[in-house]
Amino acid sequence: MIIAACFQILLWLDGGPFQPLSFTLLLWGVLVLLALTTTRTLGITLTPSAAVAHNFRRRTIPWSNIQAVQVETLLGSRTVVIHEAGGRSTRLRAPVTGFLNWDRRFEEKFHTIGRWWLDHRGPDWTPVPPPAAWWRGPLTPDGNPYAPPN
C-alpha cells in the first residue's frame, strides 16, 4: 500500500496524470481488508467425525474416507495434502510454510492433523490400493497393484 502511494506521488511530481492520493489509499486499503477476510477463513476444522477443509469452498471429509495426510512441496511452499480413498486429493490452504510465509509451528500443525486422523478414522478403516495410473506400469492380471509382476 505504501509502495503504491509512493509511486503515485512520484508520478504526480513528474507531471503525470494526477489521481487523488486518497483514492489510491482507499483502493489499496479495500484490497488489504479483502485479503485479510479471505485468508481468515482458510484452514481446517477438526471434528470427531470429519475434517472440514476451508479452502475457497468448504468440504467435509469423513475420517474413514481419508487414506493419507502428507506434506507436499509446491512452488517452494510446503502444504498439507489430504488423500481420499477415491483418489481425490485436497491441498489445504493453511497451514502452509514457505519463503515469504514462514510458519514456525507448521510441523506441529501437520502432526496434529495426522494424529486426529489416526485417532478418529475408526476400527473398521482399511487402506485402499492406490488407483492405477499409466506411469506406474501395468497391473497384474488379478488387478492387485502390490503383487509382484509375473
Side-chain angles (χ1 to χ4, degrees):
M1 180 167 69
I2 295 171
I3 295 172
C6 291
F7 279 129
Q8 182 65 44
I9 291 171
L10 289 175
L11 184 66
W12 177 62
L13 291 175
D14 194 38
F18 175 72
Q19 290 180 342
L21 184 60
S22 60
F23 174 74
T24 304
L25 292 175
L26 178 67
L27 180 66
W28 281 100
V30 167
L31 289 176
V32 167
L33 288 175
L34 182 66
L36 287 174
T37 57
T38 303
T39 57
R40 205 168 268 238
T41 61
L42 300 179
I44 187 168
T45 302
L46 306 174
T47 68
S49 61
V52 181
H54 303 280
N55 287 343
F56 292 114
R57 62 184 196 114
R58 196 171 105 175
R59 285 196 61 236
T60 302
I61 308 167
W63 292 117
S64 59
N65 195 31
I66 296 174
Q67 291 296 304
V69 178
Q70 297 178 332
V71 173
E72 294 183 6
T73 302
L74 178 68
L75 301 173
S77 293
R78 297 175 61 211
T79 60
V80 177
V81 179
I82 297 176
H83 298 282
E84 297 178 50
R88 183 175 185 171
S89 297
T90 302
R91 183 176 303 275
L92 301 178
R93 299 279 181 197
V96 64
T97 188
F99 176 66
L100 295 176
N101 187 19
W102 191 256
D103 186 357
R104 294 177 192 260
R105 296 181 52 219
F106 176 79
E107 292 292 329
E108 176 187 340
K109 293 173 184 177
F110 163 66
H111 289 297
T112 300
I113 296 168
R115 177 59 36 208
W116 267 76
W117 169 57
L118 292 174
D119 292 344
H120 294 92
R121 64 185 180 185
D124 57 344
W125 179 87
T126 56
V128 174
W134 63 271
W135 59 84
R136 291 189 186 146
L139 291 175
T140 57
D142 63 351
N144 183 359
Y146 299 114
N150 295 343

